[in-house]
PDB file of all heavy atoms in Angstrom:
ATOM      1  N   PHE A 260      -4.165  13.365  -8.372  1.00  0.00           N
ATOM      2  CA  PHE A 260      -5.405  13.987  -7.887  1.00  0.00           C
ATOM      3  C   PHE A 260      -5.158  14.825  -6.636  1.00  0.00           C
ATOM      4  O   PHE A 260      -5.819  15.851  -6.433  1.00  0.00           O
ATOM      5  CB  PHE A 260      -6.451  12.905  -7.594  1.00  0.00           C
ATOM      6  CG  PHE A 260      -6.840  12.105  -8.812  1.00  0.00           C
ATOM      7  CD1 PHE A 260      -7.137  10.757  -8.720  1.00  0.00           C
ATOM      8  CD2 PHE A 260      -6.905  12.695 -10.047  1.00  0.00           C
ATOM      9  CE1 PHE A 260      -7.485  10.013  -9.833  1.00  0.00           C
ATOM     10  CE2 PHE A 260      -7.254  11.969 -11.177  1.00  0.00           C
ATOM     11  CZ  PHE A 260      -7.552  10.628 -11.065  1.00  0.00           C
ATOM     12  N   GLU A 261      -4.231  14.398  -5.770  1.00  0.00           N
ATOM     13  CA  GLU A 261      -3.970  15.118  -4.520  1.00  0.00           C
ATOM     14  C   GLU A 261      -3.385  16.493  -4.787  1.00  0.00           C
ATOM     15  O   GLU A 261      -3.758  17.484  -4.146  1.00  0.00           O
ATOM     16  CB  GLU A 261      -3.011  14.291  -3.645  1.00  0.00           C
ATOM     17  CG  GLU A 261      -2.518  15.002  -2.387  1.00  0.00           C
ATOM     18  CD  GLU A 261      -3.593  15.173  -1.342  1.00  0.00           C
ATOM     19  OE1 GLU A 261      -4.580  14.393  -1.371  1.00  0.00           O
ATOM     20  OE2 GLU A 261      -3.462  16.083  -0.509  1.00  0.00           O
ATOM     21  N   HIS A 262      -2.467  16.593  -5.750  1.00  0.00           N
ATOM     22  CA  HIS A 262      -1.764  17.849  -6.010  1.00  0.00           C
ATOM     23  C   HIS A 262      -2.354  18.624  -7.188  1.00  0.00           C
ATOM     24  O   HIS A 262      -1.719  19.570  -7.667  1.00  0.00           O
ATOM     25  CB  HIS A 262      -0.285  17.566  -6.278  1.00  0.00           C
ATOM     26  CG  HIS A 262       0.434  16.979  -5.102  1.00  0.00           C
ATOM     27  ND1 HIS A 262       0.984  17.757  -4.097  1.00  0.00           N
ATOM     28  CD2 HIS A 262       0.681  15.697  -4.743  1.00  0.00           C
ATOM     29  CE1 HIS A 262       1.555  16.983  -3.192  1.00  0.00           C
ATOM     30  NE2 HIS A 262       1.382  15.724  -3.560  1.00  0.00           N
ATOM     31  N   ASN A 263      -3.551  18.241  -7.640  1.00  0.00           N
ATOM     32  CA  ASN A 263      -4.253  18.967  -8.710  1.00  0.00           C
ATOM     33  C   ASN A 263      -3.375  19.137  -9.955  1.00  0.00           C
ATOM     34  O   ASN A 263      -3.330  20.216 -10.567  1.00  0.00           O
ATOM     35  CB  ASN A 263      -4.716  20.346  -8.213  1.00  0.00           C
ATOM     36  CG  ASN A 263      -5.747  20.250  -7.127  1.00  0.00           C
ATOM     37  OD1 ASN A 263      -6.459  19.240  -7.005  1.00  0.00           O
ATOM     38  ND2 ASN A 263      -5.849  21.269  -6.298  1.00  0.00           N
ATOM     39  N   LEU A 264      -2.700  18.078 -10.341  1.00  0.00           N
ATOM     40  CA  LEU A 264      -1.842  18.153 -11.523  1.00  0.00           C
ATOM     41  C   LEU A 264      -2.643  18.129 -12.821  1.00  0.00           C
ATOM     42  O   LEU A 264      -2.093  18.408 -13.891  1.00  0.00           O
ATOM     43  CB  LEU A 264      -0.838  16.990 -11.515  1.00  0.00           C
ATOM     44  CG  LEU A 264       0.122  16.950 -10.320  1.00  0.00           C
ATOM     45  CD1 LEU A 264       1.081  15.789 -10.440  1.00  0.00           C
ATOM     46  CD2 LEU A 264       0.888  18.256 -10.189  1.00  0.00           C
ATOM     47  N   LEU A 265      -3.933  17.804 -12.762  1.00  0.00           N
ATOM     48  CA  LEU A 265      -4.767  17.798 -13.965  1.00  0.00           C
ATOM     49  C   LEU A 265      -5.180  19.201 -14.385  1.00  0.00           C
ATOM     50  O   LEU A 265      -5.654  19.389 -15.505  1.00  0.00           O
ATOM     51  CB  LEU A 265      -6.013  16.936 -13.738  1.00  0.00           C
ATOM     52  CG  LEU A 265      -5.746  15.441 -13.551  1.00  0.00           C
ATOM     53  CD1 LEU A 265      -7.028  14.714 -13.202  1.00  0.00           C
ATOM     54  CD2 LEU A 265      -5.112  14.831 -14.786  1.00  0.00           C
ATOM     55  N   GLU A 266      -5.033  20.192 -13.495  1.00  0.00           N
ATOM     56  CA  GLU A 266      -5.350  21.581 -13.845  1.00  0.00           C
ATOM     57  C   GLU A 266      -4.147  22.170 -14.583  1.00  0.00           C
ATOM     58  O   GLU A 266      -3.391  22.984 -14.042  1.00  0.00           O
ATOM     59  CB  GLU A 266      -5.695  22.377 -12.598  1.00  0.00           C
ATOM     60  CG  GLU A 266      -6.908  21.834 -11.853  1.00  0.00           C
ATOM     61  CD  GLU A 266      -7.197  22.611 -10.585  1.00  0.00           C
ATOM     62  OE1 GLU A 266      -6.420  23.546 -10.279  1.00  0.00           O
ATOM     63  OE2 GLU A 266      -8.181  22.298  -9.902  1.00  0.00           O
ATOM     64  N   TYR A 267      -3.986  21.759 -15.821  1.00  0.00           N
ATOM     65  CA  TYR A 267      -2.773  22.096 -16.564  1.00  0.00           C
ATOM     66  C   TYR A 267      -2.676  23.598 -16.842  1.00  0.00           C
ATOM     67  O   TYR A 267      -1.604  24.201 -16.673  1.00  0.00           O
ATOM     68  CB  TYR A 267      -2.754  21.316 -17.886  1.00  0.00           C
ATOM     69  CG  TYR A 267      -1.595  21.672 -18.781  1.00  0.00           C
ATOM     70  CD1 TYR A 267      -0.310  21.210 -18.499  1.00  0.00           C
ATOM     71  CD2 TYR A 267      -1.776  22.492 -19.895  1.00  0.00           C
ATOM     72  CE1 TYR A 267       0.758  21.548 -19.317  1.00  0.00           C
ATOM     73  CE2 TYR A 267      -0.719  22.837 -20.708  1.00  0.00           C
ATOM     74  CZ  TYR A 267       0.543  22.351 -20.413  1.00  0.00           C
ATOM     75  OH  TYR A 267       1.595  22.696 -21.208  1.00  0.00           O
ATOM     76  N   ARG A 268      -3.760  24.223 -17.268  1.00  0.00           N
ATOM     77  CA  ARG A 268      -3.703  25.643 -17.617  1.00  0.00           C
ATOM     78  C   ARG A 268      -3.390  26.503 -16.396  1.00  0.00           C
ATOM     79  O   ARG A 268      -2.620  27.464 -16.476  1.00  0.00           O
ATOM     80  CB  ARG A 268      -5.032  26.073 -18.252  1.00  0.00           C
ATOM     81  CG  ARG A 268      -5.308  25.432 -19.610  1.00  0.00           C
ATOM     82  CD  ARG A 268      -6.518  26.053 -20.259  1.00  0.00           C
ATOM     83  NE  ARG A 268      -6.776  25.466 -21.573  1.00  0.00           N
ATOM     84  CZ  ARG A 268      -7.580  24.454 -21.793  1.00  0.00           C
ATOM     85  NH1 ARG A 268      -8.210  23.886 -20.774  1.00  0.00           N
ATOM     86  NH2 ARG A 268      -7.771  23.967 -23.007  1.00  0.00           N
ATOM     87  N   LYS A 269      -3.992  26.171 -15.271  1.00  0.00           N
ATOM     88  CA  LYS A 269      -3.732  26.937 -14.048  1.00  0.00           C
ATOM     89  C   LYS A 269      -2.281  26.788 -13.605  1.00  0.00           C
ATOM     90  O   LYS A 269      -1.622  27.771 -13.238  1.00  0.00           O
ATOM     91  CB  LYS A 269      -4.684  26.459 -12.948  1.00  0.00           C
ATOM     92  CG  LYS A 269      -4.526  27.189 -11.636  1.00  0.00           C
ATOM     93  CD  LYS A 269      -5.514  26.682 -10.602  1.00  0.00           C
ATOM     94  CE  LYS A 269      -5.329  27.386  -9.273  1.00  0.00           C
ATOM     95  NZ  LYS A 269      -6.294  26.869  -8.255  1.00  0.00           N
ATOM     96  N   ASN A 270      -1.761  25.569 -13.645  1.00  0.00           N
ATOM     97  CA  ASN A 270      -0.366  25.347 -13.247  1.00  0.00           C
ATOM     98  C   ASN A 270       0.605  26.005 -14.230  1.00  0.00           C
ATOM     99  O   ASN A 270       1.647  26.532 -13.818  1.00  0.00           O
ATOM    100  CB  ASN A 270      -0.082  23.854 -13.156  1.00  0.00           C
ATOM    101  CG  ASN A 270      -0.900  23.173 -12.068  1.00  0.00           C
ATOM    102  OD1 ASN A 270      -1.284  23.810 -11.083  1.00  0.00           O
ATOM    103  ND2 ASN A 270      -1.189  21.896 -12.233  1.00  0.00           N
ATOM    104  N   ALA A 271       0.262  25.976 -15.523  1.00  0.00           N
ATOM    105  CA  ALA A 271       1.139  26.619 -16.503  1.00  0.00           C
ATOM    106  C   ALA A 271       1.172  28.133 -16.323  1.00  0.00           C
ATOM    107  O   ALA A 271       2.222  28.768 -16.488  1.00  0.00           O
ATOM    108  CB  ALA A 271       0.675  26.273 -17.921  1.00  0.00           C
ATOM    109  N   ALA A 272       0.019  28.722 -15.955  1.00  0.00           N
ATOM    110  CA  ALA A 272       0.001  30.171 -15.712  1.00  0.00           C
ATOM    111  C   ALA A 272       0.855  30.547 -14.506  1.00  0.00           C
ATOM    112  O   ALA A 272       1.520  31.585 -14.494  1.00  0.00           O
ATOM    113  CB  ALA A 272      -1.443  30.638 -15.514  1.00  0.00           C
ATOM    114  N   LEU A 273       0.851  29.698 -13.471  1.00  0.00           N
ATOM    115  CA  LEU A 273       1.698  29.968 -12.311  1.00  0.00           C
ATOM    116  C   LEU A 273       3.173  29.810 -12.646  1.00  0.00           C
ATOM    117  O   LEU A 273       4.015  30.566 -12.139  1.00  0.00           O
ATOM    118  CB  LEU A 273       1.318  29.026 -11.163  1.00  0.00           C
ATOM    119  CG  LEU A 273      -0.067  29.232 -10.547  1.00  0.00           C
ATOM    120  CD1 LEU A 273      -0.340  28.179  -9.482  1.00  0.00           C
ATOM    121  CD2 LEU A 273      -0.191  30.627  -9.944  1.00  0.00           C
ATOM    122  N   ASP A 274       3.514  28.857 -13.493  1.00  0.00           N
ATOM    123  CA  ASP A 274       4.914  28.658 -13.864  1.00  0.00           C
ATOM    124  C   ASP A 274       5.452  29.826 -14.678  1.00  0.00           C
ATOM    125  O   ASP A 274       6.651  30.143 -14.605  1.00  0.00           O
ATOM    126  CB  ASP A 274       5.087  27.358 -14.655  1.00  0.00           C
ATOM    127  CG  ASP A 274       5.045  26.137 -13.756  1.00  0.00           C
ATOM    128  OD1 ASP A 274       5.266  26.290 -12.540  1.00  0.00           O
ATOM    129  OD2 ASP A 274       4.776  25.029 -14.260  1.00  0.00           O
ATOM    130  N   LYS A 275       4.596  30.473 -15.454  1.00  0.00           N
ATOM    131  CA  LYS A 275       5.062  31.599 -16.262  1.00  0.00           C
ATOM    132  C   LYS A 275       5.480  32.782 -15.402  1.00  0.00           C
ATOM    133  O   LYS A 275       6.287  33.607 -15.827  1.00  0.00           O
ATOM    134  CB  LYS A 275       3.963  32.023 -17.240  1.00  0.00           C
ATOM    135  CG  LYS A 275       3.732  31.036 -18.378  1.00  0.00           C
ATOM    136  CD  LYS A 275       2.672  31.547 -19.328  1.00  0.00           C
ATOM    137  CE  LYS A 275       2.457  30.557 -20.476  1.00  0.00           C
ATOM    138  NZ  LYS A 275       1.399  31.027 -21.419  1.00  0.00           N
ATOM    139  N   LYS A 276       4.930  32.873 -14.198  1.00  0.00           N
ATOM    140  CA  LYS A 276       5.280  33.973 -13.312  1.00  0.00           C
ATOM    141  C   LYS A 276       6.607  33.735 -12.592  1.00  0.00           C
ATOM    142  O   LYS A 276       7.125  34.654 -11.956  1.00  0.00           O
ATOM    143  CB  LYS A 276       4.169  34.186 -12.275  1.00  0.00           C
ATOM    144  CG  LYS A 276       2.826  34.549 -12.887  1.00  0.00           C
ATOM    145  CD  LYS A 276       1.778  34.722 -11.811  1.00  0.00           C
ATOM    146  CE  LYS A 276       0.412  35.058 -12.416  1.00  0.00           C
ATOM    147  NZ  LYS A 276      -0.641  35.193 -11.376  1.00  0.00           N
ATOM    148  N   ARG A 277       7.148  32.537 -12.664  1.00  0.00           N
ATOM    149  CA  ARG A 277       8.408  32.231 -11.989  1.00  0.00           C
ATOM    150  C   ARG A 277       9.563  32.374 -12.975  1.00  0.00           C
ATOM    151  O   ARG A 277       9.385  32.314 -14.192  1.00  0.00           O
ATOM    152  CB  ARG A 277       8.385  30.814 -11.411  1.00  0.00           C
ATOM    153  CG  ARG A 277       7.272  30.552 -10.409  1.00  0.00           C
ATOM    154  CD  ARG A 277       7.441  29.174  -9.772  1.00  0.00           C
ATOM    155  NE  ARG A 277       6.409  28.907  -8.766  1.00  0.00           N
ATOM    156  CZ  ARG A 277       5.330  28.189  -8.987  1.00  0.00           C
ATOM    157  NH1 ARG A 277       5.158  27.637 -10.174  1.00  0.00           N
ATOM    158  NH2 ARG A 277       4.446  27.989  -8.035  1.00  0.00           N
ATOM    159  N   THR A 278      10.762  32.533 -12.423  1.00  0.00           N
ATOM    160  CA  THR A 278      11.954  32.582 -13.255  1.00  0.00           C
ATOM    161  C   THR A 278      12.382  31.163 -13.612  1.00  0.00           C
ATOM    162  O   THR A 278      11.868  30.181 -13.059  1.00  0.00           O
ATOM    163  CB  THR A 278      13.085  33.297 -12.516  1.00  0.00           C
ATOM    164  OG1 THR A 278      13.416  32.549 -11.334  1.00  0.00           O
ATOM    165  CG2 THR A 278      12.666  34.699 -12.113  1.00  0.00           C
ATOM    166  N   LYS A 279      13.334  31.060 -14.523  1.00  0.00           N
ATOM    167  CA  LYS A 279      13.801  29.747 -14.947  1.00  0.00           C
ATOM    168  C   LYS A 279      14.459  28.996 -13.792  1.00  0.00           C
ATOM    169  O   LYS A 279      14.280  27.785 -13.641  1.00  0.00           O
ATOM    170  CB  LYS A 279      14.788  29.903 -16.110  1.00  0.00           C
ATOM    171  CG  LYS A 279      15.287  28.583 -16.678  1.00  0.00           C
ATOM    172  CD  LYS A 279      16.223  28.815 -17.833  1.00  0.00           C
ATOM    173  CE  LYS A 279      16.681  27.474 -18.434  1.00  0.00           C
ATOM    174  NZ  LYS A 279      17.358  26.627 -17.430  1.00  0.00           N
ATOM    175  N   GLU A 280      15.219  29.705 -12.956  1.00  0.00           N
ATOM    176  CA  GLU A 280      15.870  29.044 -11.821  1.00  0.00           C
ATOM    177  C   GLU A 280      14.851  28.546 -10.818  1.00  0.00           C
ATOM    178  O   GLU A 280      15.001  27.457 -10.250  1.00  0.00           O
ATOM    179  CB  GLU A 280      16.846  30.019 -11.161  1.00  0.00           C
ATOM    180  CG  GLU A 280      18.014  30.408 -12.061  1.00  0.00           C
ATOM    181  CD  GLU A 280      18.957  31.362 -11.370  1.00  0.00           C
ATOM    182  OE1 GLU A 280      18.640  31.785 -10.235  1.00  0.00           O
ATOM    183  OE2 GLU A 280      20.015  31.685 -11.946  1.00  0.00           O
ATOM    184  N   GLU A 281      13.797  29.309 -10.595  1.00  0.00           N
ATOM    185  CA  GLU A 281      12.741  28.863  -9.679  1.00  0.00           C
ATOM    186  C   GLU A 281      12.001  27.654 -10.239  1.00  0.00           C
ATOM    187  O   GLU A 281      11.666  26.722  -9.482  1.00  0.00           O
ATOM    188  CB  GLU A 281      11.766  30.014  -9.419  1.00  0.00           C
ATOM    189  CG  GLU A 281      12.344  31.138  -8.588  1.00  0.00           C
ATOM    190  CD  GLU A 281      11.370  32.294  -8.419  1.00  0.00           C
ATOM    191  OE1 GLU A 281      10.372  32.340  -9.169  1.00  0.00           O
ATOM    192  OE2 GLU A 281      11.607  33.137  -7.559  1.00  0.00           O
ATOM    193  N   ARG A 282      11.749  27.650 -11.539  1.00  0.00           N
ATOM    194  CA  ARG A 282      11.076  26.495 -12.133  1.00  0.00           C
ATOM    195  C   ARG A 282      11.948  25.249 -12.034  1.00  0.00           C
ATOM    196  O   ARG A 282      11.447  24.152 -11.727  1.00  0.00           O
ATOM    197  CB  ARG A 282      10.730  26.786 -13.595  1.00  0.00           C
ATOM    198  CG  ARG A 282       9.619  27.801 -13.782  1.00  0.00           C
ATOM    199  CD  ARG A 282       9.103  27.782 -15.210  1.00  0.00           C
ATOM    200  NE  ARG A 282      10.117  28.229 -16.154  1.00  0.00           N
ATOM    201  CZ  ARG A 282      10.248  29.482 -16.553  1.00  0.00           C
ATOM    202  NH1 ARG A 282       9.446  30.415 -16.097  1.00  0.00           N
ATOM    203  NH2 ARG A 282      11.191  29.808 -17.431  1.00  0.00           N
ATOM    204  N   ASP A 283      13.244  25.392 -12.289  1.00  0.00           N
ATOM    205  CA  ASP A 283      14.142  24.236 -12.161  1.00  0.00           C
ATOM    206  C   ASP A 283      14.187  23.738 -10.720  1.00  0.00           C
ATOM    207  O   ASP A 283      14.216  22.521 -10.475  1.00  0.00           O
ATOM    208  CB  ASP A 283      15.542  24.624 -12.634  1.00  0.00           C
ATOM    209  CG  ASP A 283      15.582  24.945 -14.122  1.00  0.00           C
ATOM    210  OD1 ASP A 283      14.637  24.523 -14.827  1.00  0.00           O
ATOM    211  OD2 ASP A 283      16.527  25.624 -14.564  1.00  0.00           O
ATOM    212  N   LEU A 284      14.185  24.654  -9.770  1.00  0.00           N
ATOM    213  CA  LEU A 284      14.222  24.252  -8.361  1.00  0.00           C
ATOM    214  C   LEU A 284      12.954  23.491  -7.967  1.00  0.00           C
ATOM    215  O   LEU A 284      13.020  22.456  -7.293  1.00  0.00           O
ATOM    216  CB  LEU A 284      14.395  25.492  -7.484  1.00  0.00           C
ATOM    217  CG  LEU A 284      14.439  25.265  -5.965  1.00  0.00           C
ATOM    218  CD1 LEU A 284      15.667  24.440  -5.598  1.00  0.00           C
ATOM    219  CD2 LEU A 284      14.449  26.593  -5.221  1.00  0.00           C
ATOM    220  N   LEU A 285      11.787  23.975  -8.401  1.00  0.00           N
ATOM    221  CA  LEU A 285      10.533  23.304  -8.059  1.00  0.00           C
ATOM    222  C   LEU A 285      10.404  21.970  -8.779  1.00  0.00           C
ATOM    223  O   LEU A 285       9.819  21.024  -8.238  1.00  0.00           O
ATOM    224  CB  LEU A 285       9.356  24.210  -8.405  1.00  0.00           C
ATOM    225  CG  LEU A 285       9.244  25.496  -7.579  1.00  0.00           C
ATOM    226  CD1 LEU A 285       8.035  26.303  -8.008  1.00  0.00           C
ATOM    227  CD2 LEU A 285       9.157  25.183  -6.085  1.00  0.00           C
ATOM    228  N   ASN A 286      10.953  21.866  -9.985  1.00  0.00           N
ATOM    229  CA  ASN A 286      10.921  20.578 -10.682  1.00  0.00           C
ATOM    230  C   ASN A 286      11.778  19.538  -9.962  1.00  0.00           C
ATOM    231  O   ASN A 286      11.429  18.350  -9.926  1.00  0.00           O
ATOM    232  CB  ASN A 286      11.410  20.752 -12.120  1.00  0.00           C
ATOM    233  CG  ASN A 286      10.399  21.485 -12.988  1.00  0.00           C
ATOM    234  OD1 ASN A 286       9.199  21.435 -12.727  1.00  0.00           O
ATOM    235  ND2 ASN A 286      10.873  22.164 -14.020  1.00  0.00           N
ATOM    236  N   LYS A 287      12.896  19.974  -9.379  1.00  0.00           N
ATOM    237  CA  LYS A 287      13.712  19.048  -8.607  1.00  0.00           C
ATOM    238  C   LYS A 287      13.025  18.622  -7.315  1.00  0.00           C
ATOM    239  O   LYS A 287      13.289  17.533  -6.792  1.00  0.00           O
ATOM    240  CB  LYS A 287      15.066  19.693  -8.287  1.00  0.00           C
ATOM    241  CG  LYS A 287      15.945  19.931  -9.508  1.00  0.00           C
ATOM    242  CD  LYS A 287      17.256  20.595  -9.113  1.00  0.00           C
ATOM    243  CE  LYS A 287      18.123  20.856 -10.337  1.00  0.00           C
ATOM    244  NZ  LYS A 287      19.403  21.534  -9.965  1.00  0.00           N
ATOM    245  N   ALA A 288      12.150  19.473  -6.779  1.00  0.00           N
ATOM    246  CA  ALA A 288      11.461  19.154  -5.516  1.00  0.00           C
ATOM    247  C   ALA A 288      10.195  18.344  -5.723  1.00  0.00           C
ATOM    248  O   ALA A 288       9.605  17.872  -4.734  1.00  0.00           O
ATOM    249  CB  ALA A 288      11.112  20.451  -4.771  1.00  0.00           C
ATOM    250  N   LYS A 289       9.752  18.150  -6.972  1.00  0.00           N
ATOM    251  CA  LYS A 289       8.490  17.437  -7.210  1.00  0.00           C
ATOM    252  C   LYS A 289       8.493  15.992  -6.719  1.00  0.00           C
ATOM    253  O   LYS A 289       7.458  15.495  -6.288  1.00  0.00           O
ATOM    254  CB  LYS A 289       8.154  17.489  -8.695  1.00  0.00           C
ATOM    255  CG  LYS A 289       7.580  18.828  -9.134  1.00  0.00           C
ATOM    256  CD  LYS A 289       7.212  18.829 -10.596  1.00  0.00           C
ATOM    257  CE  LYS A 289       6.623  20.173 -11.005  1.00  0.00           C
ATOM    258  NZ  LYS A 289       6.261  20.211 -12.446  1.00  0.00           N
ATOM    259  N   PRO A 290       9.623  15.243  -6.770  1.00  0.00           N
ATOM    260  CA  PRO A 290       9.578  13.872  -6.228  1.00  0.00           C
ATOM    261  C   PRO A 290       9.181  13.796  -4.755  1.00  0.00           C
ATOM    262  O   PRO A 290       8.642  12.784  -4.320  1.00  0.00           O
ATOM    263  CB  PRO A 290      11.006  13.361  -6.453  1.00  0.00           C
ATOM    264  CG  PRO A 290      11.498  14.133  -7.631  1.00  0.00           C
ATOM    265  CD  PRO A 290      10.883  15.486  -7.501  1.00  0.00           C
ATOM    266  N   PHE A 291       9.405  14.867  -3.989  1.00  0.00           N
ATOM    267  CA  PHE A 291       9.014  14.850  -2.585  1.00  0.00           C
ATOM    268  C   PHE A 291       7.501  14.967  -2.414  1.00  0.00           C
ATOM    269  O   PHE A 291       6.989  14.734  -1.320  1.00  0.00           O
ATOM    270  CB  PHE A 291       9.709  15.997  -1.832  1.00  0.00           C
ATOM    271  CG  PHE A 291      11.202  15.853  -1.769  1.00  0.00           C
ATOM    272  CD1 PHE A 291      12.016  16.506  -2.671  1.00  0.00           C
ATOM    273  CD2 PHE A 291      11.785  15.056  -0.805  1.00  0.00           C
ATOM    274  CE1 PHE A 291      13.392  16.373  -2.631  1.00  0.00           C
ATOM    275  CE2 PHE A 291      13.165  14.917  -0.753  1.00  0.00           C
ATOM    276  CZ  PHE A 291      13.967  15.572  -1.659  1.00  0.00           C
ATOM    277  N   GLY A 292       6.785  15.355  -3.493  1.00  0.00           N
ATOM    278  CA  GLY A 292       5.332  15.440  -3.399  1.00  0.00           C
ATOM    279  C   GLY A 292       4.670  14.097  -3.190  1.00  0.00           C
ATOM    280  O   GLY A 292       3.539  14.028  -2.695  1.00  0.00           O
ATOM    281  N   ARG A 293       5.348  13.001  -3.520  1.00  0.00           N
ATOM    282  CA  ARG A 293       4.775  11.674  -3.290  1.00  0.00           C
ATOM    283  C   ARG A 293       4.735  11.327  -1.816  1.00  0.00           C
ATOM    284  O   ARG A 293       4.001  10.432  -1.403  1.00  0.00           O
ATOM    285  CB  ARG A 293       5.598  10.638  -4.048  1.00  0.00           C
ATOM    286  CG  ARG A 293       5.612  10.848  -5.563  1.00  0.00           C
ATOM    287  CD  ARG A 293       6.497   9.846  -6.266  1.00  0.00           C
ATOM    288  NE  ARG A 293       6.056   8.486  -6.067  1.00  0.00           N
ATOM    289  CZ  ARG A 293       6.665   7.411  -6.551  1.00  0.00           C
ATOM    290  NH1 ARG A 293       7.763   7.563  -7.278  1.00  0.00           N
ATOM    291  NH2 ARG A 293       6.194   6.198  -6.321  1.00  0.00           N
ATOM    292  N   MET A 294       5.537  12.019  -1.000  1.00  0.00           N
ATOM    293  CA  MET A 294       5.594  11.725   0.427  1.00  0.00           C
ATOM    294  C   MET A 294       4.782  12.704   1.258  1.00  0.00           C
ATOM    295  O   MET A 294       4.671  12.532   2.470  1.00  0.00           O
ATOM    296  CB  MET A 294       7.054  11.774   0.910  1.00  0.00           C
ATOM    297  CG  MET A 294       8.021  11.021   0.036  1.00  0.00           C
ATOM    298  SD  MET A 294       9.723  11.320   0.541  1.00  0.00           S
ATOM    299  CE  MET A 294      10.607  10.661  -0.887  1.00  0.00           C
ATOM    300  N   MET A 295       4.248  13.761   0.653  1.00  0.00           N
ATOM    301  CA  MET A 295       3.537  14.801   1.391  1.00  0.00           C
ATOM    302  C   MET A 295       2.155  15.001   0.797  1.00  0.00           C
ATOM    303  O   MET A 295       1.891  14.646  -0.356  1.00  0.00           O
ATOM    304  CB  MET A 295       4.295  16.143   1.318  1.00  0.00           C
ATOM    305  CG  MET A 295       5.750  16.081   1.701  1.00  0.00           C
ATOM    306  SD  MET A 295       6.526  17.709   1.472  1.00  0.00           S
ATOM    307  CE  MET A 295       8.244  17.278   1.778  1.00  0.00           C
TER     308      MET A 295
END
Side-chain angles (χ1 to χ4, degrees):
F260 298 145
E261 173 71 23
H262 296 275
N263 295 336
L264 299 181
L265 294 175
E266 299 178 358
Y267 176 75
R268 293 188 179 93
K269 181 179 178 181
N270 296 333
L273 293 177
D274 283 340
K275 288 182 179 179
K276 299 179 181 178
R277 301 187 178 99
T278 62
K279 183 179 182 301
E280 295 180 355
E281 290 177 345
R282 289 194 294 268
D283 294 341
L284 179 64
L285 294 180
N286 288 333
K287 293 179 181 179
K289 282 182 179 179
F291 295 97
R293 299 177 61 181
M294 313 172 193
M295 308 177 187

